[in-house]
Amino acid sequence: MKESELDTVLVPIGMMLMGIYHLWLLFTIHRYPYRTVIGLNSISRHQWVFSMMIDPMKNGVLAVQTIRNNIMASTLLASTAITLSSIITVFVSSTTDSRDAASKLVYGNITPLISSIKYFALLICFLAAFLCNVQSIRYYAHVSFLVTVPTSKGKREAIEYVSRNLNRGSFFWSLGLRAFYVSFPLLLWIFGPIPMFVCCCIMCCILYFLDTTTSFTRQLHTGSYKEEVEPEGFDGLFPSRRTSSVKEDAKSESSVEVLGQSV
């Protein structure tokens, strides 16, 4: 195979591997959410919103501080993405002789068209990361107001709405972080299609271990849900516990009646 043909073969294969992996991940998140970190975290955030909005006036400070930490993380990633985009733009627009020296290190197609495609793809990746993190900040800021509204106490529709917005913000944060992961193969593509293809294979293996959960993690998360105790006025969200409390009250009343008769 000619050196100039490597980009047309290895680069599409590498990107196809990344695409197949993320299609599998998307399918697993929708069908088996407990097997993925994204799905399990989504369920955990849903439970967290319910526990925080049981008493917004009491848990409001903790909820806002937690969301503020997420906003700071998204702000850091957004600033990093737009900074890298600016650096790439300045580098591409500069007219220096560094390309001639760097082309000696590249084993592949070194035509100006392919070089422009490499930098453009990397720029699009960082811009996508920036936009996703900005949307994440938008949803987190909106949730920080909704989670402390006293009028939403005990209202299932309001709590579901807040939980939905929080998960949307987290999903945008995951997409922004995923764009950073995809930028690694595109960055190595500058040095040739072979490093890019090898990086795609390694990245798929690493992401598999980062995106999947173990049985211990699943048991830990599901076990913590069963140990939660809901206060009064929130029985409508947990009917099973309401029926158990009614049974306990009936037993206590019957025991009191028996004692009264014996006396």
Side-chain angles (χ1 to χ4, degrees):
M1 183 179 295
K2 296 181 180 180
E3 180 180 352
S4 59
E5 296 177 355
L6 290 176
D7 290 84
T8 59
V9 176
L10 294 181
V11 174
I13 293 176
M15 297 306 295
M16 185 177 64
L17 289 176
M18 295 285 290
I20 291 174
Y21 169 77
H22 284 94
L23 287 176
W24 170 83
L25 179 63
L26 184 63
F27 172 78
T28 309
I29 291 173
H30 283 280
R31 294 294 299 272
Y32 311 101
Y34 282 98
R35 296 183 182 180
T36 62
V37 174
I38 297 176
L40 194 61
N41 289 342
S42 176
I43 299 172
S44 300
R45 285 188 297 270
H46 187 271
Q47 296 291 333
W48 179 81
V49 170
F50 270 80
S51 61
M52 289 294 105
M53 296 189 69
I54 287 175
D55 191 355
M57 300 300 295
K58 180 180 178 181
N59 302 323
V61 176
L62 176 61
V64 171
Q65 287 180 349
T66 305
I67 296 172
R68 184 184 61 183
N69 294 335
N70 293 330
I71 292 176
M72 292 175 62
S74 299
T75 304
L76 177 62
L77 291 180
S79 302
T80 304
I82 197 63
T83 302
L84 292 175
S85 301
S86 302
I87 292 174
I88 293 173
T89 304
V90 172
F91 180 77
V92 172
S93 60
S94 62
T95 56
T96 59
D97 297 332
S98 59
R99 294 182 181 179
D100 296 334
S103 62
K104 298 179 181 179
L105 302 175
V106 178
Y107 185 77
N109 196 334
I110 56 175
T111 58
L113 177 61
I114 297 297
S115 300
S116 300
I117 293 175
K118 294 177 182 179
Y119 291 114
F120 181 73
L122 194 60
L123 179 62
I124 291 296
C125 189
F126 286 132
L127 288 177
F130 171 75
L131 293 177
C132 288
N133 283 285
V134 168
Q135 289 295 319
S136 176
I137 295 172
R138 169 177 170 265
Y139 278 107
Y140 284 147
H142 187 48
V143 170
S144 65
F145 287 99
L146 296 177
V147 77
T148 56
V149 176
T151 56
S152 61
K153 180 180 179 180
K155 295 182 179 179
R156 186 181 182 88
E157 294 79 8
I159 297 176
E160 289 288 349
Y161 176 75
V162 176
S163 175
R164 209 162 42 239
N165 280 273
L166 181 61
N167 279 326
R168 286 175 182 174
S170 182
F171 287 154
F172 274 110
W173 185 84
S174 298
L175 289 175
L177 188 62
R178 194 71 46 169
F180 277 99
Y181 290 150
V182 176
S183 67
F184 281 98
L186 297 178
L187 184 62
L188 291 179
W189 188 21
I190 298 175
F191 301 98
I194 297 178
M196 185 266 186
F197 177 76
V198 174
C199 183
C200 287
C201 298
I202 296 175
M203 188 63 66
C204 289
C205 298
I206 294 175
L207 290 177
Y208 176 79
F209 288 102
L210 293 177
D211 292 330
T212 55
T213 60
T214 60
S215 58
F216 173 76
T217 307
R218 292 192 290 269
Q219 293 175 1
L220 181 65
H221 281 258
T222 55
S224 62
Y225 302 154
K226 297 178 182 178
E227 297 175 358
E228 293 180 355
V229 178
E230 294 77 23
E232 298 179 356
F234 222 64
D235 295 333
L237 298 176
F238 302 91
S240 59
R241 298 195 176 185
R242 181 178 60 185
T243 54
S244 62
S245 62
V246 171
K247 292 179 181 178
E248 291 178 358
D249 294 339
K251 290 181 180 178
S252 62
E253 291 178 359
S254 61
S255 62
V256 171
E257 292 178 356
V258 171
L259 290 175
Q261 293 175 0
S262 61
V263 172

